[in-house]
């Protein structure tokens, strides 16, 4: 099968996911083309995984001239593909426009339950199936929200199948007219073993025996870090229920970089908050080993790698009940509504003060970590979504 992946600028989970699919498809004898910005090839090395990579500037923000060039390039490069699989809303909309004409017919089932031939491209021959995986939801409004809504409608009306990382995304795409919406299987790579002991990590941080609440996140609006700082600002020092060596309360660690660093640093400094911004780290397994729990206050998440890694490490999770988080966490953590500072603060207290709570959640986390789908399951899932191929194509 000839599969063309289309993706935009990414430095995180989307790129790793496409690389994993590329490796799995190539191992199975399929021919893979990856279309995207040069930066994604430099970071993920799709060519080294056996794919053909072609640079196309699929930017993360609208630009009429660049977008038109991208649409034309995608149309030309994917003409022979039996399946075009775009990742992300921007890439999905550009791939849909590049497909030409109206959406193909394969989603319309005949009396025998079999899918018909796709719509024709005209002289260029018929188009292959268009599959779009949506990895994120918009959490901003205004003009950005309006543009996002337009792109959603393009994908919903033109894609043959839409794969989503959370139920709310699926419900939205169905309301917008998508005819075939399915859950995406997004596995986490195996967690690397820690290189240092928890005690060594604590010594580096000067944490003593204080509980460590670890957040792994880009320092960006979606991650709800202002709420995290509100939680950290709680009256931890006034508590008398904690042992003397924990009287300072938990220490909040944030691993990641992003545009909000200066703003967050300023508030941490002004309010003397027990928060450390650690920057980008290549020792996440070490940090997980030392952490008491993983905490996220995000506005929205799909299937975040940080939470899946926490579960594989057997760490309890405290998180906002948004996007795909509840399905991933299950009984392995404490979930609260987004923006509920008191709820998050109370969840931390429950974990630290309620006898047996941390141990029970850790055991549940380890169990769910073992149940996480692997790369083979993800590849099998997309092959099913691609559907049977027409032998005349």
């Amino acid at each position: 099968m000839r599969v063309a992946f289309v993706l935009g600028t990414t430095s995180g989970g989307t790129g790793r996911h496409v690389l994993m699919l590329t490796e799995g498809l190539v191992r199975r004898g399929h021919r893979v083309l990856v279309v995207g910005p040069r930066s994604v090839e430099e970071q993920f090395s799709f060519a080294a995984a056996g794919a053909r990579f072609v640079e196309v500037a699929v930017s993360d923000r609208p630009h009429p001239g660049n977008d038109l060039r991208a649409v034309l390039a995608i149309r030309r490069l994917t003409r022979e593909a039996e399946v075009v699989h775009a990742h992300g809303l921007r890439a999905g909309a550009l791939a849909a426009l590049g497909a030409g004409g109206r959406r193909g017919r394969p989603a319309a089932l005949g009396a025998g339950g079999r899918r018909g031939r796709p719509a024709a491209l005209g002289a260029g021959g018929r188009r292959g199936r268009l599959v779009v995986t949506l990895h994120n939801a918009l959490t901003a409004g205004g003009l950005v929200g309006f543009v996002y809504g337009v792109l959603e409608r393009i994908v919903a009306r033109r894609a043959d199948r839409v794969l989503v990382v959370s139920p709310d995304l699926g419900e939205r795409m169905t309301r917008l007219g998508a005819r075939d919406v399915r859950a995406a299987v997004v596995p986490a790579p195996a967690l690397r073993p820690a290189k240092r002991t928890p005690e060594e990590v604590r010594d580096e941080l000067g944490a003593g025996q204080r509980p460590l609440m670890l957040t792994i996140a880009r320092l960006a609006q979606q991650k709800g870090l202002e709420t995290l700082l509100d939680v950290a600002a709680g009256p931890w020092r006034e508590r008398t229920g904690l042992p003397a060596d924990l009287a300072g309360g938990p220490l909040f660690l944030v691993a990641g970089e992003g545009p909000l660093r200066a703003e967050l640093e300023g508030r941490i400094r002004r309010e003397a908050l027990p928060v450390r911004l650690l920057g980008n780290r290549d020792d996440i397994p070490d940090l997980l080993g030392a952490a008491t729990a993983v905490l996220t206050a995000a506005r929205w998440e799909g299937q975040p790698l940080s939470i899946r890694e926490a579960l594989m490490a057997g760490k309890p999770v405290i998180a906002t009940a948004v996007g795909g988080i509840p399905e991933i966490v299950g009984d392995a953590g404490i979930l609260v509504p987004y923006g509920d500072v008191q709820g998050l603060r109370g969840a931390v207290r429950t974990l630290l003060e309620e006898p047996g709570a941390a141990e029970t959640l850790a055991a549940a986390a380890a169990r769910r970590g073992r149940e996480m789908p692997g790369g083979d399951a993800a590849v099998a899932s997309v092959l099913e979504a691609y559907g049977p191929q027409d032998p005349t194509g």
Side-chain angles (χ1 to χ4, degrees):
M1 184 191 309
R2 296 182 299 274
V3 178
F5 288 124
V6 181
L7 71 163
T9 303
T10 176
S11 60
T14 299
R16 288 190 292 269
H17 181 63
V18 175
L19 178 60
M20 178 271 301
L21 293 179
T22 297
E23 293 169 338
L25 290 173
V26 169
R27 282 198 304 270
R28 288 163 174 78
H30 302 290
R31 286 178 284 174
V32 178
L33 165 70
V34 179
V35 175
R38 171 56 52 183
S39 61
V40 299
E41 171 62 12
E42 291 172 350
Q43 180 164 1
F44 298 105
S45 301
F46 299 107
R52 175 187 172 217
F53 177 82
V54 179
E55 179 181 359
V56 174
V58 180
S59 63
D60 56 356
R61 293 190 179 277
H63 187 289
N66 290 344
D67 289 347
L68 176 59
R69 285 189 287 272
V71 166
L72 295 176
I74 291 168
R75 177 178 298 182
R76 172 176 53 83
L77 291 166
T78 64
R79 184 175 288 119
E80 301 301 321
E82 295 165 83
V83 175
V84 178
H85 188 171
H87 290 263
L89 185 62
R90 286 265 302 149
L94 295 177
L97 294 171
R102 58 197 173 93
R103 181 168 61 175
R105 297 283 186 191
L109 293 177
R114 298 189 62 174
R115 298 189 181 278
R117 291 173 62 86
L121 273 175
R126 70 177 182 83
R127 54 161 279 201
R129 290 181 175 89
L130 174 61
V131 178
V132 178
T133 297
L134 298 181
H135 292 265
N136 283 290
L138 183 73
T139 58
L143 179 60
V144 174
F146 172 77
V147 172
Y148 190 95
V150 172
L151 299 180
E152 282 184 318
R153 285 168 173 79
I154 291 172
V155 168
R157 293 170 184 174
R158 290 179 176 249
D160 298 309
R161 296 186 177 109
V162 180
L163 309 182
V164 295
V165 298
S166 67
D168 57 329
L169 279 180
E171 292 166 4
R172 180 168 177 80
M173 295 307 291
T174 298
R175 288 197 304 270
L176 291 174
R179 292 183 291 181
D180 190 336
V181 179
R182 307 181 184 192
V185 176
V186 184
L191 188 65
R192 294 179 288 111
K195 296 181 179 179
R196 295 180 295 165
T197 67
E199 291 73 22
E200 288 172 328
V201 175
R202 286 180 169 278
D203 287 344
E204 176 210 327
L205 298 170
Q209 294 303 307
R210 295 174 67 180
L212 300 180
M213 300 291 128
L214 175 63
T215 298
I216 306 167
R218 186 166 183 264
L219 308 185
Q221 181 261 2
Q222 178 187 327
K223 303 304 182 179
L225 296 169
E226 73 284 355
T227 301
L228 176 68
L229 298 194
D230 290 341
V231 174
W236 304 107
R237 293 179 178 82
E238 286 77 3
R239 294 289 294 185
T240 57
L242 292 173
D245 59 344
L246 307 184
L251 179 61
F252 295 81
L253 309 175
V254 183
E257 274 296 350
L260 297 183
R261 170 175 271 279
E263 178 182 331
L264 296 170
E265 281 182 329
R267 182 178 170 193
I268 292 167
R269 184 172 55 254
R270 288 192 306 274
E271 301 181 23
L273 299 178
V275 180
R276 301 269 184 86
L277 301 184
L278 304 179
N280 287 328
R281 302 283 295 220
D282 59 5
D283 61 346
I284 294 300
D286 296 22
L287 295 174
L288 283 169
T292 305
V294 168
L295 188 155
T296 174
R299 288 175 164 81
W300 188 88
E301 292 280 11
Q303 297 184 31
L305 176 63
S306 60
I307 290 182
R308 288 175 285 159
E309 287 181 327
L311 298 176
M312 288 188 289
K315 295 296 177 177
V317 173
I318 297 172
T320 44
V322 296
I325 289 179
E327 282 192 328
I328 296 175
V329 172
D331 62 350
I334 304 174
L335 302 177
V336 302
Y338 164 70
D340 185 352
V341 174
Q342 294 302 324
L344 287 168
R345 201 175 287 156
V348 173
R349 295 196 189 287
T350 295
L351 195 68
L352 299 182
E353 300 175 16
E354 186 175 303
E359 292 77 9
T360 298
L361 292 175
R367 184 181 67 251
R368 291 192 71 82
R370 291 191 296 269
E371 295 169 352
M372 289 282 172
D376 287 342
V379 174
S381 176
V382 296
L383 285 172
E384 182 180 352
Y386 295 164
Q389 298 304 298
D390 187 339
T392 65

